Amino acid sequence: MKIFRFLLLITLFSAGLLACTSTQKDQTEATGKQRIVCVAKQLTELIFALGAGDQLVGVDLSSTYPPAAQKITKVGYHRLLNAEGIIALKPTVVFHDGNVAPEAVMQQLEKVGVPMKVFKDAHTLPEVKALFDTVAAQFSAQKQADSLKTKLDADLAKAAESVKQYKTTPKVAIIHFGRVINNYLVIGKAGTASYMLEMAGGRNVMDTLKGMKPLSPEIISKAQPDIILVTDFGYDRLGSAEKLATLPGIALTPAGKNKKIYRIEEHDLIYLGPRTGENVQLLMKLIHQ
C-alpha cells in the first residue's frame, strides 16, 4: 500500500508539472515573451544587453551584471544548482552554456519536461560576436546585436591605441575563489582572463598552468608577480589587500610586499561580452598604476 501511495504521489507531481509547463507554453505563445532561467553569467549579461532582461525570472549566483540581474531570484551557483528552485519559477526554458552541475539536477529538470537551450560558450572575439547573433535570434533582436558588435569593435580599437603609451609589461597573477571547493585558486594562462590581460598590456605569470590550480606557497612565490588581481567574491571574503597578503606565499611576492593586490569584478575579467572593450581599458589602468 505504501509503495502504491508513493507511486501515486510521483504521478500526480509529474502531471502537475507537465500541466504547468503546458500552461506556460500557452502564455509564451500568447505574449511572445518567455520565462527564462539563465544559469550562465555571460548569457545573462548578453540577454540584458539585447533588451530582453524582462524575460528573465531566475539566474544563478554568478550572474551579477548588470545590477538589475542581482534583483532576480537566484537558483544556486551554476555548478551547484537546485532543481526545486528552478521548477518553482515555472520556466518556459533554461538557458546555459554546458558548464552546469550537478548532473542529477539537470536530469531531474529534463525528466519533468523543462526545456533546455544550450549555447556554446565564447572564448574569442569572433566566437562572442557569433554568440551575440545566436542569442539575438531568440528574441528577434538582430539589430541590437549588430549595434553591440559595432560598439565592441570601437572600444577595442580605442584600447589598442591606449595601450601603446605603456612601456612596461607587468607580471600579473589572477586569484579566484572557487565556491564549490571552498578554496582560493590561481588562474592559468589559457583562458579569457589571460587574453584580456594581454590586450591590456600585462602578462599572466602562471603561463605553465592549465586551467585553475589551488593557491600554494610554491606556486605564487615562484611566479613572483608584480600585481595580483583577486576576483570580487574572494577579495570581499577577506576584505582587504593586507588580509589577502596573509594567504600562502603572497607576502613573498613583489605584489605582496608593495601591496599591489587589487579587487576586480569577476564579470569584467573571465568572460567576453558586450563590454569587453571597456573592461580592457579598465584593466589597463589597474595594472599600470
Side-chain angles (χ1 to χ4, degrees), residues 159-235:
E161 187 62 30
S162 296
V163 79
K164 294 177 183 175
Q165 67 184 293
Y166 301 108
K167 307 304 178 188
T168 59
T169 303
K171 296 187 298 180
V172 182
I174 305 167
I175 295 176
H176 177 71
F177 189 80
R179 300 194 204 189
V180 176
I181 62 173
N182 199 34
N183 201 354
Y184 282 91
L185 306 164
V186 287
I187 298 179
K189 186 175 183 180
T192 302
S194 292
Y195 182 44
M196 291 183 63
L197 197 55
E198 288 175 10
M199 287 193 283
R203 181 173 72 83
N204 187 344
V205 287
M206 302 298 174
D207 53 3
T208 61
L209 290 184
K210 292 181 180 179
M212 298 186 189
K213 301 293 180 187
L215 177 65
S216 73
E218 293 77 17
I219 286 179
I220 198 73
S221 60
K222 183 180 179 182
Q224 290 290 292
D226 303 313
I227 307 286
I228 293 177
L229 302 179
V230 186
T231 55
D232 51 295
F233 184 82
Y235 189 102

Side-chain angles (χ1 to χ4, degrees), residues 151-152 154-157 159 196 273-282:
K151 182 180 183 303
L152 177 60
D155 289 340
L156 287 169
M196 291 183 63
R275 299 176 303 113
T276 291
E278 297 174 44
N279 291 335
V280 168
Q281 294 172 55
L282 291 172

Side-chain angles (χ1 to χ4, degrees), residues 17-209:
L17 287 171
L18 289 173
C20 286
T21 302
S22 178
T23 301
Q24 293 303 327
K25 183 180 178 182
D26 293 342
Q27 290 175 355
T28 298
E29 290 174 351
T31 64
K33 290 189 175 182
Q34 305 176 77
R35 291 179 58 82
I36 302 170
V37 171
C38 183
V39 292
K41 52 188 174 295
Q42 186 180 36
L43 295 175
T44 299
E45 177 174 349
L46 183 51
I47 290 168
F48 272 101
L50 291 168
D54 63 337
Q55 298 187 42
L56 288 167
V57 296
V59 296
D60 81 307
L61 286 169
S62 73
S63 293
T64 53
Y65 191 89
Q70 299 178 26
K71 299 177 182 176
I72 298 174
T73 301
K74 302 298 182 292
V75 294
Y77 192 56
H78 64 101
R79 297 293 300 172
L80 200 62
L81 292 170
N82 176 286
E84 288 73 22
I86 293 174
I87 293 169
L89 294 172
K90 301 176 182 176
T92 55
V93 63
V94 172
F95 281 9
H96 69 84
D97 59 7
N99 186 20
V100 288
E103 180 62 26
V105 167
M106 307 314 291
Q107 291 174 349
Q108 189 176 351
L109 294 175
E110 188 176 353
K111 189 177 294 183
V112 300
V114 176
M116 303 279 176
K117 183 71 180 177
V118 185
F119 297 87
K120 187 177 180 181
D121 54 352
H123 299 291
T124 67
L125 293 172
E127 287 176 354
V128 81
K129 289 179 181 178
L131 183 63
F132 288 2
D133 292 337
T134 304
V135 178
Q138 302 295 313
F139 308 107
S140 301
Q142 187 57 51
K143 187 179 292 185
Q144 290 92 327
D146 291 340
S147 295
L148 293 178
K149 286 184 280 187
T150 300
K151 182 180 183 303
L152 177 60
D153 285 339
D155 289 340
L156 287 169
K158 185 177 179 181
E161 187 62 30
S162 296
V163 79
K164 294 177 183 175
Q165 67 184 293
Y166 301 108
K167 307 304 178 188
T168 59
T169 303
K171 296 187 298 180
V172 182
I174 305 167
I175 295 176
H176 177 71
F177 189 80
R179 300 194 204 189
V180 176
I181 62 173
N182 199 34
N183 201 354
Y184 282 91
L185 306 164
V186 287
I187 298 179
K189 186 175 183 180
T192 302
S194 292
Y195 182 44
M196 291 183 63
L197 197 55
E198 288 175 10
M199 287 193 283
R203 181 173 72 83
N204 187 344
V205 287
M206 302 298 174
D207 53 3
T208 61
L209 290 184

